């Protein structure tokens, strides 16, 4: 009976995955037009431009929109593997392949004894909620590496460390996966892999770390939590601008630097809380590694001065790994993240013009999406703390002192 139920669940999963992914492909190949601005233009204009530079053996040294660690060159160059297609088509096909790879990893993990297919369902449902943006950015490729690292963590710490370092050299955030790693092998192999990759890129391609100086004058991106301040302030005459800056639409003007600094402070406080949790945590289950990674990335996404729609792909991938484990405490935060994904596709790209205009619809969507992320962050952090940090028991009162108090005459 259990085998029959598993086969039925698997059939339902594939029955939902196939048509939803086919629809995403139809959107990015422009067989059907998705509402809002064309999300594939970054691939044909920006990514392909980087590709032409990278293939000459150097990084885009004078392009401030290149803001990624050196291994990001690999997904940008990867369409060359599908040489019989034009660059955008090859990129979409490779993103589709990464999506499929994540599904297969989650199915393999979910079908093991003591696991569940709920995680695979989160991935199957969460990705199409974000619309064609998923296949028009390389974040799904990074997420595939992160999912593989987390699933390898318990049994293969060296592999987890190597994959985590590779993911971090692709886009930074996967380094947070090491937060709950308890075996030194994971940290050691992460350091070794990162060092080797950094040395190879630094020696082989000029400008490997030029990206570190390309974000000094960033504003506050219009979809971020801090941007809500300026969306409201515009209704009262705030004298600022909304401009395309560093590859995203940002607020620039008075007090933007203050809000951006506040976002950095919030991220710093989140990091401090995570360090405190790591020092206090004592109860580690098979699910703790994934739960902690999900909480850490959720914290940094929510407090970031940039919340691009593709960031939600990271959260969906980590949420899916959490729910592969029956003991995960992240069920409600995962549901909230999925709801935030649906609101995200409404604010970008469907009604992005309303967001840029800071009108009632745009501001409402942002308050709803960012509110869901804040609530998910708080609930996830509380669940992680309660499931891993033991409550401090009251100090026992010595027996002699107790008897002395009981027999002493009242004053």
């Amino acid at each position: 009976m259990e085998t029959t139920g598993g086969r039925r669940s698997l059939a339902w999963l594939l029955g939902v995955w196939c048509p939803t992914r086919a629809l995403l492909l139809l959107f990015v190949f422009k067989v059907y037009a998705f509402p809002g601005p064309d999300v594939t233009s970054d691939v044909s204009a920006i990514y392909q431009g980087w590709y032409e530079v990278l293939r000459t053996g150097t990084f885009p040294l004078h392009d401030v929109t290149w803001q990624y660690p050196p291994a990001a060159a690999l997904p940008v160059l990867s369409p060359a593997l599908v040489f019989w297609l034009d660059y955008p088509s090859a990129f979409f096909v490779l993103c589709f392949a990464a999506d499929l790879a994540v599904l297969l990893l989650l199915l393999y993990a979910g079908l093991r004894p003591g696991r569940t297919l709920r995680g695979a369902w989160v991935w199957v449902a969460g990705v199409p909620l974000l619309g064609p943006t998923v296949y028009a950015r390389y974040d799904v490729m990074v997420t595939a590496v992160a999912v593989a690292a987390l699933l390898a963590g318990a049994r293969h710490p060296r592999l987890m460390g190597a994959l985590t370092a590779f993911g971090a050299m692709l886009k930074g955030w996967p380094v947070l996966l090491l937060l709950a790693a308890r075996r030194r092998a994971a940290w050691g192999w992460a350091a070794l892999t990162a060092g080797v990759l950094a040395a190879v890129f630094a020696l082989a391609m000029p400008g490997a770390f030029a990206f570190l100086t390309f974000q000094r004058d960033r504003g506050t991106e219009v979809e971020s939590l801090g941007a809500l301040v300026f969306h409201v302030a515009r209704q009262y005459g705030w004298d600022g601008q909304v401009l395309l800056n560093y590859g995203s639409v940002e607020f620039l003007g008075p007090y933007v630097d203050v809000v951006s600094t506040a976002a950095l402070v919030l991220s710093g406080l989140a990091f401090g809380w995570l360090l405190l949790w790591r020092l206090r945590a004592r109860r580690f289950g098979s699910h703790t590694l994934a739960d902690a990674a999900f909480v850490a990335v959720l914290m940094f996404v929510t407090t970031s001065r940039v919340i691009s729609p593709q960031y939600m792909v990271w959260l969906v991938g980590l949420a899916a790994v959490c729910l592969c484990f029956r003991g995960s405490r992240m069920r409600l935060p995962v549901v909230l993240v999925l709801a935030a994904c649906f609101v995200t596709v409404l604010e970008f790209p469907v009604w992005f013009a309303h967001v840029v205009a800071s009108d009632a619809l745009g501001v409402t969507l942002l308050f709803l999406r960012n509110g869901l992320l804040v609530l998910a962050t708080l609930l996830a952090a509380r669940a992680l703390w309660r499931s891993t940090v033991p409550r401090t028991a009251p100090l026992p009162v010595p027996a002699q002192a107790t008897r002395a108090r009981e027999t002493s005459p009242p004053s």
Side-chain angles (χ1 to χ4, degrees):
M1 292 293 291
E2 186 174 349
T3 303
T4 303
R7 289 176 179 175
R8 288 178 179 174
S9 298
L10 185 58
W12 274 105
L13 275 167
L14 296 177
V16 175
W17 187 86
C18 290
T20 55
R21 274 41 179 196
L23 189 59
L24 290 180
L25 288 173
L26 290 173
F27 283 134
V28 294
F29 281 107
K30 301 181 182 178
V31 177
Y32 298 114
F34 198 80
D38 180 16
V39 299
T40 66
S41 59
D42 280 7
V43 178
S44 56
I46 298 176
Y47 283 21
Q48 191 165 0
W50 290 338
Y51 170 82
E52 297 298 337
V53 175
L54 289 167
R55 66 189 300 193
T56 66
T58 184
F59 284 90
L61 297 175
H62 306 292
D63 186 351
V64 294
T65 62
W66 176 263
Q67 301 162 20
Y68 309 107
L74 299 178
V76 175
L77 290 170
S78 63
L81 299 173
V82 194
F83 56 87
W84 57 91
L85 295 176
D86 61 85
Y87 185 90
S89 299
F91 186 86
F92 302 146
V93 168
L94 290 173
C95 287
F96 169 81
D99 179 6
L100 177 59
V102 174
L103 175 66
L104 294 177
L105 287 169
L106 293 170
L107 289 177
Y108 174 76
L111 291 172
R112 293 178 59 192
R115 304 286 181 87
T116 172
L117 288 175
R118 283 195 297 262
W121 272 114
V122 169
W123 182 254
V124 168
V127 168
L129 287 177
L130 292 168
T133 303
V134 177
Y135 285 179
R137 306 291 188 271
Y138 82 89
D139 295 80
V140 67
M141 302 179 187
V142 185
T143 303
V145 176
V147 167
L150 273 182
L151 292 176
R155 302 175 63 189
H156 307 286
R158 295 179 180 180
L159 178 59
M160 179 199 173
L163 288 173
T164 300
F166 179 54
M169 293 295 283
L170 286 170
K171 205 164 186 179
W173 66 267
V175 71
L176 296 171
L177 274 57
L178 290 170
L179 178 68
R182 303 180 67 196
R183 299 175 67 175
R184 294 180 181 178
W187 286 89
W189 275 81
L192 176 63
T193 303
V196 170
L197 287 173
V200 168
F201 279 106
L203 293 173
M205 298 178 68
F209 295 95
F211 75 97
L212 293 173
T213 63
F214 283 173
Q215 299 195 43
R216 289 177 296 187
D217 299 320
R218 289 209 71 148
T220 294
E221 193 256 349
V222 296
E223 298 166 86
S224 65
L225 183 63
L228 291 172
V229 173
F230 301 109
H231 283 293
V232 174
R234 289 180 84 184
Q235 316 305 317
Y236 298 94
W238 175 71
D239 185 22
Q241 296 177 295
V242 178
L243 296 174
L244 183 63
N245 190 46
Y246 291 91
S248 64
V249 181
E250 299 181 351
F251 282 117
L252 298 173
Y255 305 108
V256 171
D257 57 337
V258 176
V259 172
S260 296
T261 301
L264 292 174
V265 170
L266 282 176
S267 294
L269 292 174
F271 184 69
W273 184 92
L274 290 167
L275 287 181
L276 178 63
W277 167 81
R278 189 63 182 85
L279 292 172
R280 297 286 302 277
R282 293 294 180 271
R283 298 192 295 261
F284 286 80
S286 59
H287 56 86
T288 304
L289 183 65
D291 286 358
F294 175 65
V295 171
V297 176
L298 184 56
M299 281 185 164
F300 279 93
V301 167
T302 303
T303 60
S304 174
R305 57 181 174 173
V306 177
I307 306 181
S308 297
Q310 60 267 26
Y311 291 10
M312 301 299 294
V313 182
W314 316 345
L315 297 177
V316 173
L318 299 183
V321 177
C322 288
L323 293 201
C324 282
F325 298 92
R326 295 186 183 277
S328 175
R329 303 296 193 271
M330 297 297 139
R331 295 181 187 180
L332 180 55
V334 167
V335 171
L336 294 173
V337 166
L338 292 178
C341 288
F342 176 68
V343 183
T344 296
V345 79
L346 295 180
E347 62 91 358
F348 182 89
V350 177
W351 286 316
F352 190 60
H354 294 274
V355 173
V356 174
S358 300
D359 64 17
L361 176 58
V363 174
T364 299
L365 288 172
L366 283 184
F367 265 104
L368 182 56
R369 196 280 301 274
N370 291 342
L372 287 167
L373 287 179
V374 170
L375 182 58
T377 301
L378 295 175
L379 292 177
R382 185 181 69 171
L384 179 66
W385 186 278
R386 288 184 172 182
S387 65
T388 56
V389 178
R391 294 183 179 181
T392 304
L395 294 175
V397 180
Q400 292 181 351
T402 303
R403 287 195 297 271
R405 284 202 303 269
E406 291 175 349
T407 56
S408 61
S411 56

